[in-house]
Amino acid sequence: MTTRSNQLLGVVHAHPGVTRADAARLLGIGTGATTELVARLSQAHLLAEVPARPSGSRGRPTTVLVPHSEGPLVLAAEITHEGWRLQVTELGGAVLTTIAAGHAPADRPPAWPEVVAAVHAAIGRLREQYPGRLRALGVSVPGTVSRSLRLDATNVGWHDVDLTSLWPPAADAGPTPVFVAGNDASLAAAAESARGAATGARVALHLLIAGGLGGAVVDQGRLLNGASGFAGEFGHMPFGDPAIPCPCGAHGCWGTAVDGTALARHLGHRPPRDPVTYARRVIATAADPDARAGGDGGAERVAVRAVAATLGRGIAGLVNALDADLVTLGGVGAQLLAAAEREIQTSYRAGLMEIRRSSPPPIVAAALGADGPIAGAAEEAWSSLLPRLA
């Protein structure tokens, strides 16, 4: 195969349903050369050309480029404190199959070998369903991932675990699968820039509040991972109360001031075992108009507003430092934005440098929602696999 073949596969992946003529324009080559590339990739079981959906207009029927029915597929895995799920995706990002399960038992953090065993069993079933076609695995996890693919997730109790153990031993002599892994917030940021709310932004800041606070910066489509792969740990910046210890070993981390544990402190409750579910419940109560009409939920509203204001101040600091032109919020952050946008925006604008206040970078909810991390894992896997296909 050629570089042009690889570029054409990239165009079809980035622009699902693209026509051959539009692909030629995007590549800057003639339609004759594109026709030759399509034929070559079709013979290699990588691309196919099919009739476009009827548009109702007259004229010659249009065809579009699509993944080959026998072509390579990518597995994406999302591992969280609550459970795991696997998705099979084809070129272009369409999801073909999903398998999901919660961790058991639910009253304690799962041991890593238990997670590995469950994921192995699920991948085994998918191998049978798609024999010889699963060519890569992208993994999203709630912690820091080193360049040697070791995970440290303090909130779940996983320390220095080997993420490559998630791929089961080969059952045949097929090609060695591509394996990539990353922090959930970083991968969600990449997905939002590729296919979500941050498409077209020059410098996008993404923040994800789940079992802590993480994030990432995407600079003109490129995820900034840092020298060791640990960039984006914004939740461990000292924007919180210096008296509050963080599981990371530091004090005053921003994440401890905006997550479910912060809401519990404001309400005088014990630290919740599951801070994500707890935060969702508190925010829902604070935003419930029926509870407001009945005089209930007042304490929850006070707590949510306080946490929202702390979130807005921290965002201002990051925008001042990073010069982002868009901020996306995922997980509990998106719920806080919906429930207490005024508090977030007020503290955000107050914390911005004066030169930014006339046109502050927008703060918006992540378009991909809960699917951001796993979508990002699939995107990273495809990005690593595509150069090996053509």
Side-chain angles (χ1 to χ4, degrees), residues 3-328:
T3 301
R4 286 296 191 193
S5 297
N6 177 263
Q7 291 172 341
L8 179 55
L9 288 175
V11 166
V12 175
H13 181 67
H15 305 277
V18 68
T19 65
R20 197 188 329 155
D22 284 340
R25 177 179 54 80
L26 290 168
L27 289 173
I29 62 176
T31 55
T34 306
T35 299
E36 183 178 334
L37 288 176
V38 170
R40 191 181 307 164
L41 292 170
S42 178
Q43 291 175 356
H45 289 186
L46 294 173
L47 284 186
E49 197 164 14
V50 300
R53 292 180 178 178
S55 63
S57 60
R58 295 182 179 181
R60 186 175 180 178
T62 302
T63 60
V64 295
L65 302 177
V66 298
H68 196 283
S69 61
E70 299 176 10
L73 302 171
V74 154
L75 265 175
E78 179 186 26
I79 315 294
T80 73
H81 72 290
E82 295 175 305
W84 57 267
R85 59 174 167 161
L86 290 170
Q87 289 185 342
V88 178
T89 68
E90 65 180 0
L91 189 74
V95 177
L96 303 184
T97 303
T98 300
I99 298 177
H103 297 309
D107 59 348
R108 63 172 175 81
W112 184 252
E114 296 172 358
V115 178
V116 170
V119 172
H120 279 191
I123 291 178
R125 298 196 298 272
L126 293 171
R127 275 175 165 171
E128 295 177 358
Q129 186 175 352
Y130 302 100
R133 298 180 63 192
L134 302 180
R135 298 286 301 278
L137 172 62
V139 181
S140 164
V141 286
T144 57
V145 179
S146 71
R147 295 196 180 278
S148 59
L149 299 177
R150 311 290 294 193
L151 166 67
D152 194 81
T154 55
N155 290 333
V156 194
W158 298 329
H159 301 286
D160 195 35
V161 298
D162 180 10
L163 289 173
T164 63
S165 63
L166 288 168
W167 185 263
D172 50 43
T176 302
V178 172
F179 187 97
V180 297
N183 170 263
D184 51 3
S186 296
L187 293 175
E192 286 296 329
S193 290
R195 303 183 188 275
T199 302
R202 292 194 62 190
V203 178
L205 168 64
H206 180 72
L207 298 173
L208 173 67
I209 302 177
L213 188 155
V217 176
V218 181
D219 183 4
Q220 300 184 70
R222 186 171 65 93
L223 184 65
L224 301 184
N225 288 315
S228 304
F230 297 158
E233 291 295 326
F234 299 127
H236 298 291
M237 299 184 74
F239 292 168
D241 183 347
I244 302 298
C246 177
C248 78
H251 284 70
C253 290
W254 187 27
T256 64
V258 297
D259 64 0
T261 64
L263 290 169
R265 283 196 306 276
H266 281 288
L267 290 168
H269 297 167
R270 298 181 61 181
R273 186 192 62 80
D274 182 348
V276 177
T277 301
Y278 176 88
R280 290 171 180 160
R281 185 170 63 248
V282 170
I283 295 170
T285 300
D288 186 357
D290 292 335
R292 187 172 302 174
D296 298 324
E300 285 81 1
R301 284 193 293 276
V302 171
V304 167
R305 289 168 180 168
V307 165
T310 302
L311 177 61
R313 283 194 299 274
I315 294 173
L318 290 175
V319 168
N320 288 338
L322 299 170
D323 194 23
D325 60 344
L326 180 72
V327 181
T328 54

